[in-house]
Amino acid sequence: MSQTYRPDTPEQVADLITWALAESTPLALRGHGTKAALGRPTNTSHALDLSGIAGIVDYAPEELVMTARAGTSMAEVRAALDAAGQMLAFEPPDWRPLLGQPHGPADPPGTLGGLVACNLAGSRRISAGAARDHVLGIAGVSGRGEAFRSGGRVVKNVTGFDLSKLLTGSMGTLAALTELSLKTVPRPETSATVLVLGLDAADAVQAMTRALGSSHEVSGAAHLPAAMAARSAVAAIAGDGRAITALRVEGPDPSVAWRCQALRTELTALGPTEALSHDDGAVLWGEVSDARLIADPADAVLWRLSVPPAQGARVLAAVRHGVGEGHLSGWQMDWGGGLLWLALAPTPEAHAGAVRDAVAHHGGGHATLIRAGADVRAHVPVFQPQPAPLAALSRRVTESFDPKGILSPGRMAEGR
Amino acid sequence: MRMPDPDTDVIARRARIARDLRRLVPDGSSNSPVGEGVIVDEDELRAYECDGLTAYRQPPLVVVLPSTTEQVSKVLRYCHDHGVKIVPRGAGTSLSGGALPLADAVTLGLGKFNRILDIDYDNRCVVAQPGVTNLGITQAVQARGFYYAPDPSSQIACSIGGNVAENAGGVHCLKYGLTTNNLLGLEMVLMTGEVVRLGGRHLDPGDLDLMGVVTGSEGLLGVITEVTVRILRGPETARAVLMGFPDTTAAADTVAAIIAQGIIPAGLEMMDRPAIHAAEDFVHADYPLDVEALLICELDGPEAEVDHLIERVAAIAHDNRVVSLRASADDAERALFWAGRKAAFPAVGRISPDYLCMDGSIPRQALPRVLQRMTEMSRRYGLRVANVFHAGDGNLHPLILFDANVSDELERAEAFGADILRLCVAVGGVLTGEHGVGVEKRDLMYTMFTETDMAHQQRLKCAFDPGQFLNPGKVFPTLHRCAELGRMRVSGGAVPFPDIPRF
Ligand SMILES: Cc1cc2nc3c(=O)[nH]c(=O)nc-3n(C[C@H](O)[C@H](O)[C@H](O)COP(=O)(O)OP(=O)(O)OC[C@H]3O[C@@H](n4cnc5c(N)ncnc54)[C@H](O)[C@@H]3O)c2cc1C
């Protein structure tokens, strides 16, 4: 019978994994389960729920570091950061709406460990890095049933291999995370968002490239085509009816005002510009980071492509051509064109060939199948397939932590 | 320092190995710039006998200087098949002995990999061979107003490949991140000769973050043959403030208050009295000499922002007993403020026959306590110490002054250094912030990690290099065979059913 185990201590996690090893019983790792539909479906009868290993252990705002147990709710993490006027710079997205999860105020928001295990980041990724750039230290229990640590609580640290980076984004395959130390940063005093209106994808990439190549420290560069922009909760955007290319600047008041004006002047040749207030901007960047506006229709398959930013429009055109007119139901660009979200009509192959060919022919990168039925995710590689020597290396790395394939086996690739 | 026992069989085969390697990496012809492929001459080998940690020296078995990825691949494959160890080497500026040769190992130098392969302004990145210097990247793009942010003090000499291997930092890393945060892609040759590419011009891995763990792996996982790094457009303006304090506590409090107010300077560096005096004597940066601690705080951005923040920093300093404060009026003056800090190591080198450069990291708030304890230790060991810090991120560089010609001074300096690092760990910090473990801190690893922690790191090494041919004797205090590390004792039924809440 299928069981969910919910240990309260890291010692219990180690006991459980040791038991699972002895019984050759693979475990599916989870926090609140908000991202359970990410990755390949695992063939496991039991689940290891880590949300009981919870609580902030140490948060010293003046040291810019928070240490928390991996199962700590993101609501608790956010509340503590808010109280100190700080944030996680990588702008953790909330993918619950996208993944069809309940996302009301009372619903579980996801755990810190889940966020780190998936290495998620929002729009500020282009200037501040991803989750992996902010994890300073990690404690976990590997697939050998052994508790171990890596890293520490300080920003500068090269003592031994940086296992924190490897475990970040490992989707529960290498180790059950039990404790994390993350870098925190002060919230910017204010922000402003410049909108360039009515650009097509190619011109949008040009505008974003220009802005990101300027000295204005742009911390968000995204593009929504008209059909997506119309869905925005920001009245000024939805009401306008045109596509928007959005560029965010953050910092002290005088600096933001100056940079906002400078960007408008520099981009005016490309199209008409508007400026969004800090509050409207916050709504927009939330929508973009969470990819909320492309979530509908719920049966569309969703791809997330990371490509060289200046290639964004070309990759998009190649996908549109490859999947055939009418199959692309929605899209948006973030990270200056480097992050392409695509909503495609559902098919058994999820258009994987066309999507991955488009990436391969335009400078490389990777395509991840974020949303599709479990049957599709079971046979279409969810993560970018690797060349043979690299795939073999990845497998050896996984086996070095989890030799018996006990932890979420098959979540990342067949057999690991 | 004990290194693994040299393999006498390999040493006996030296001539043969050199001949075979020469076939794989021939000398360039006299009209080609490629130069010598393999070095065996004892005098020439001496140039490679140490890196920046000059207390340890060992001429390599031979040196091989490939110029293409294909040659690197062939050399590694050959050495793999013939049981020969490899020590990768960039510019040899490591301060932890990472590139220290072994008597039975081939030193693989990457000096000929010195070309910039592509400058891609639209994607804001540079593709370079690993032997290009750190500064070389900035120089290649500065005409267009761009730069590469991580700036180790050794930037005119150290290689970008060595930066990746050590995850090097610099004064600008407080705001712009370390090497690992500015690296987009790399090409690497595994010990088997297989070539893998990680990352590219896009962000984030599409699978496990192998690039993240290769960065800072000190030449133990593979040989890096190409890197892609992120470049940034330079700020519109940058100004630095030079602040003198009557004691280090006041300076440390100022650092804490700047950060607490949400200001992230582009650089925030501290020097103590001995370091100030040594630097001033060397570069004449017009540092105040009647203070116990000096802070250099650089702010960058639009003029409006920089002027605004300089006022705030000055106000914070005044609240914390600053006795002298000067803001740079122009770029020349700003460069002068930095000149002393950037030359601090060689400056100390002038006032002492020898020095050891330590590299611990601590939580910022522990700074006054650690400095106090260091002063006590200095008295106890009878050795002087000069301190420079990346104060903004808690990375200390105590320079221990000694004279290797005086009996037991090296041993005392090393013991003093080890005590400082133990202290760093005890206050919640780590053994090394940016210089790497190498051989220097190898035997201290257990002050920070358990056997199990270390075994997880070593098994990762085994996944990349099961024969442990790459840079043995570095980072790990004990060498275990991979088969032994991989063994697991689990017996079905022996573990009781776990007593854990179930649903
Ligand atoms: C005066 C001085 C100041 C310094 N200041 C700083 C500073 O501010 N910040 C800082 O971080 N460091 C500093 N350093 C240390 C040093 O410069 C850095 O660690 C640098 O990154 C080493 O680069 P390198 O090319 O000299 O590498 P090397 O010394 O040749 O090698 C270092 C390590 O990297 C490995 N390695 C080198 N190239 C490759 C490759 N292509 N593939 C795989 N492995 C490779 C070697 O095996 C070795 O383990 C300083 C050193 C000196 C002498």
Side-chain angles (χ1 to χ4, degrees), chain B residues 9 11 53 61 68 84 128 157 162 180 253 275 419 433 445 488 492 500:
Chain B
D9 170 55
I11 293 174
L53 184 68
L61 183 73
T68 64
V84 183
T180 188
D253 290 344
D419 273 354
M445 288 293 267
M488 234 183 349
I500 290 164

Side-chain angles (χ1 to χ4, degrees), chain B residues 156-181:
Chain B
I156 48 168
C158 64
S159 73
I160 192 72
N163 288 176
V164 173
E166 299 281 14
N167 188 16
V171 300
H172 281 94
C173 291
L174 178 61
K175 180 165 174 186
Y176 297 104
L178 310 163
T179 304
T180 188
N181 313 113

